[in-house]
Amino acid sequence: MVNHTDSIAQLATLIKNHQHIVALTGAGISAAAGIPTLEQINRDSSIAANFSEEALEAEPVSFYAHFHQAFIDPIFNNGPTIAHNVLAQLEHRHLLDGVVTTNVDYLHEQAGSQQVAPIWSSLNINHCLDCGRIYPLSILQASVPHCPTCGGLISPDPLFRHIATLPAERAKADDCMASADLVLVIGSNGYYDNVGRTATVVDINPKPTMFDRQATLTIHQDANAVFTKLATNLHLPTTSITK
Ligand SMILES: [Zn+2]
């Protein structure tokens, strides 16, 4: 039986004893907000078939009904999780250099994190299919978002690029990782795995992952449970910075 209290104390000590800490996050950190993982989307063919540019242009009303249900409603109704909030609090106190994420949900920024590299883009970038203008996340709150300038249909950038890496964000992520001496891997399945060989690694995931071999500390628990206890240990609030 693993003693989770001890592992939280170890995590707190590692955070206090390192100078350049970076978080690497994946779908697991947003699961508590009800946002589906890539695996869940691919497994459910009715969702996967609906999330394409072809589906958007053919049936915008149906596309956005599904898109709201899967992403926009959880983002706005459930907001950033405690784990997102505590990462923002750590950065605010200069205990975290930044976050590298494969998530497109923009929840780190919503929690108040400033240094975020969303390597697969984010729902804060949305294109007008007619004039190409770009709009932030808030435009997706409309039931079927249209360009305020030309009336064209809005397409979320991550969909537009079919989960391809943004070179500028990837470079930012690699820079951040290059100087990291402690990497907190949270709910990641390893879609980004450029974790420095010299950095100490902590893997926080309910299930074993590829990072466990490299990890000094593995905590097989849900991210919110871990960060709630970590916040208590470090006397941090569990609220977002922006609220
Ligand atoms: Zn337009």
Side-chain angles (χ1 to χ4, degrees):
M1 179 84 189
V2 180
N3 186 328
H4 288 305
T5 310
D6 283 354
S7 53
I8 301 300
Q10 281 179 53
L11 173 59
T13 303
L14 285 169
I15 289 172
K16 287 173 192 162
N17 291 341
H18 286 82
Q19 276 69 52
H20 292 288
I21 307 175
V22 174
L24 167 59
T25 69
I29 196 172
S30 295
I35 295 168
T37 63
L38 201 57
E39 285 74 18
Q40 286 168 328
I41 292 171
N42 289 335
R43 210 180 304 135
D44 186 336
S45 56
S46 68
I47 305 181
N50 271 298
F51 291 148
S52 67
E53 272 171 274
E54 293 72 28
L56 168 61
E57 293 194 76
E59 291 189 65
V61 174
S62 163
F63 170 89
Y64 270 109
H66 285 95
F67 198 70
H68 274 254
Q69 196 181 11
F71 293 101
I72 305 305
D73 294 349
I75 287 172
F76 285 100
N77 296 341
N78 307 333
T81 69
I82 288 171
H84 290 97
N85 291 344
V86 174
L87 288 174
Q89 295 287 352
L90 286 168
E91 185 192 337
H92 194 63
R93 285 161 176 75
H94 308 290
L95 294 170
L96 186 80
D97 284 3
V99 178
V100 172
T101 188
T102 51
N103 295 341
V104 300
D105 53 40
Y106 202 61
L107 289 180
H108 287 296
E109 292 88 342
Q110 301 267 74
S113 286
Q114 307 269 325
Q115 296 299 323
V116 184
I119 61 168
W120 284 349
S121 188
S122 91
L123 294 178
N124 197 43
I125 305 175
N126 303 286
H127 298 267
C128 168
L129 287 175
D130 289 343
C131 74
R133 282 185 174 82
I134 294 172
Y135 297 98
L137 176 68
S138 56
I139 200 161
L140 297 179
Q141 285 185 283
S143 54
V144 179
H146 286 93
C147 176
T149 307
C150 81
L153 197 56
I154 297 294
S155 172
D157 186 68
L159 188 79
F160 211 68
R161 58 181 59 256
H162 304 282
I163 320 267
T165 301
L166 279 178
E169 297 298 341
R170 170 74 200 214
K172 188 174 164 187
D174 290 346
D175 274 358
C176 205
M177 280 295 173
S179 58
D181 58 8
L182 175 63
V183 179
L184 310 178
V185 182
I186 306 155
S188 168
N189 279 334
Y191 291 112
Y192 176 95
D193 61 359
N194 188 27
V195 173
R197 291 182 188 284
T198 55
T200 299
V201 173
V202 176
D203 191 26
I204 300 166
N205 201 310
K207 291 180 287 188
T209 76
M210 59 176 283
F211 295 103
D212 287 356
R213 274 182 292 123
Q214 218 180 328
T216 298
L217 175 64
T218 58
I219 307 177
H220 288 153
Q221 266 193 292
D222 166 75
N224 271 354
V226 172
F227 280 88
T228 300
K229 286 180 255 180
L230 180 70
T232 304
N233 189 302
L234 294 175
H235 308 291
L236 296 173
T238 55
T239 49
S240 68
I241 298 288
T242 40
K243 276 178 190 157

